[in-house]
Amino acid sequence: MAGCSSPPTCRRGPWDSGAQHGGAPAGLLAHIAEQAMEDPAWLLARLTVELLRPVPIAPLSFELDVSGGKTVRRVTVSLWHEQKEVAGAVGLFVKGQNLPLPMHPSGSLPGPDECSAKVAIPGMQNIRSFHYTAMESRIASGRIDQPGPAAAWLRLRVPLIAARPNSPAMRVCAAADLGNGISWTLPVDRYRFANTDMTLYLTRPPAGEWIGVDAITENGDFGLGLTRSTLFDIEGAVGVALQSLLIQQR
């Protein structure tokens, strides 16, 4: 049931040819959590995704639990493959209200129409995969051919769930998982820096198909790293995402 509706290779990640890119199960988990709420007045405020094992490019099953009250609810989802839990998520939903509050700008990016160069990470093969095939990308700032902070606009080319439109939450979760690739600091031919989780906070549902990810990555001395991303839509900032990284020498 997991993955996009085009051939399975469009879900493939950069670290294992048999495993999905984290953006695909992140979007799937957001979809399952949203479907559990039924009423669209419930808005995703936070989603924490944990990637416990490589998520295979294969059929998955899920378990679901919903708890909470009238204004705040928690949805817990776990993804399973062959009796093993491979990933999970905890989503926090709040009951939306129509409050016309003043906006407080928190930075901006040049719009996707002002950008053209595609994201191409040095040392990462340009093969049929999630980040090169299922996603369209445009560099917004920084140099992705060099290590350091950078920003990019990302847009899903395909539905994550066959015959269903991608929701705003699915789009932003799928895009946010690419933060550690956009702001890479270590050469791909010498290191792996896969994220083991992602926590996403939103102030509102993003508008439109393009999601901006302005990311910076920091490495520690014990094989751990952290990527911080500010998330945008064409109207401005919509939230932040944090990814913990597992760094390994090849």
Side-chain angles (χ1 to χ4, degrees), residues 3 28 102 194 213 221 227 232 242:
L28 173 64
V213 179
D221 296 329
T227 297
F232 296 84
L242 299 174

Tab-separated table of all heavy atoms in Angstrom, residues 3 28 102 194 213 221 227 232 242:
chain	number	residue	atom	x	y	z
A	3	GLY	N	3.946	4.058	-0.986
A	3	GLY	CA	4.721	4.552	-2.103
A	3	GLY	C	3.877	5.260	-3.134
A	3	GLY	O	2.671	5.335	-3.044
A	28	LEU	N	3.409	9.063	3.436
A	28	LEU	CA	2.415	8.022	3.675
A	28	LEU	C	1.894	8.086	5.107
A	28	LEU	O	0.677	8.004	5.350
A	28	LEU	CB	3.021	6.651	3.401
A	28	LEU	CG	2.166	5.435	3.770
A	28	LEU	CD1	0.898	5.385	2.922
A	28	LEU	CD2	2.969	4.147	3.618
A	102	PRO	N	-2.496	38.807	12.782
A	102	PRO	CA	-1.445	39.442	11.969
A	102	PRO	C	-0.307	38.469	11.694
A	102	PRO	O	0.033	37.630	12.532
A	102	PRO	CB	-0.983	40.616	12.838
A	102	PRO	CG	-1.361	40.224	14.233
A	102	PRO	CD	-2.617	39.434	14.114
A	194	ALA	N	22.252	9.322	6.664
A	194	ALA	CA	20.799	9.113	6.599
A	194	ALA	C	20.137	9.643	7.859
A	194	ALA	O	20.674	9.520	8.962
A	194	ALA	CB	20.495	7.634	6.427
A	213	VAL	N	12.496	24.545	1.229
A	213	VAL	CA	13.238	23.970	2.350
A	213	VAL	C	14.576	24.706	2.443
A	213	VAL	O	15.419	24.588	1.550
A	213	VAL	CB	13.474	22.456	2.157
A	213	VAL	CG1	14.267	21.882	3.331
A	213	VAL	CG2	12.147	21.722	2.004
A	221	ASP	N	30.841	14.642	16.852
A	221	ASP	CA	32.039	13.801	16.806
A	221	ASP	C	31.755	12.324	17.060
A	221	ASP	O	32.688	11.526	17.097
A	221	ASP	CB	33.049	14.278	17.851
A	221	ASP	CG	33.566	15.681	17.573
A	221	ASP	OD1	33.637	16.031	16.374
A	221	ASP	OD2	33.877	16.402	18.522
A	227	THR	N	20.009	18.269	11.199
A	227	THR	CA	19.625	19.205	10.142
A	227	THR	C	18.418	20.001	10.604
A	227	THR	O	17.435	19.432	11.081
A	227	THR	CB	19.294	18.475	8.834
A	227	THR	OG1	20.455	17.803	8.358
A	227	THR	CG2	18.817	19.450	7.771
A	232	PHE	N	8.746	26.697	3.732
A	232	PHE	CA	8.023	27.789	3.108
A	232	PHE	C	7.004	27.258	2.099
A	232	PHE	O	7.149	26.162	1.565
A	232	PHE	CB	8.989	28.715	2.348
A	232	PHE	CG	9.991	29.423	3.201
A	232	PHE	CD1	11.172	28.802	3.562
A	232	PHE	CD2	9.754	30.713	3.648
A	232	PHE	CE1	12.119	29.460	4.347
A	232	PHE	CE2	10.686	31.375	4.435
A	232	PHE	CZ	11.866	30.742	4.787
A	242	LEU	N	13.155	19.263	11.936
A	242	LEU	CA	14.420	18.808	12.509
A	242	LEU	C	14.639	17.354	12.124
A	242	LEU	O	13.714	16.544	12.188
A	242	LEU	CB	14.413	18.947	14.031
A	242	LEU	CG	14.227	20.351	14.607
A	242	LEU	CD1	14.093	20.277	16.122
A	242	LEU	CD2	15.394	21.243	14.235
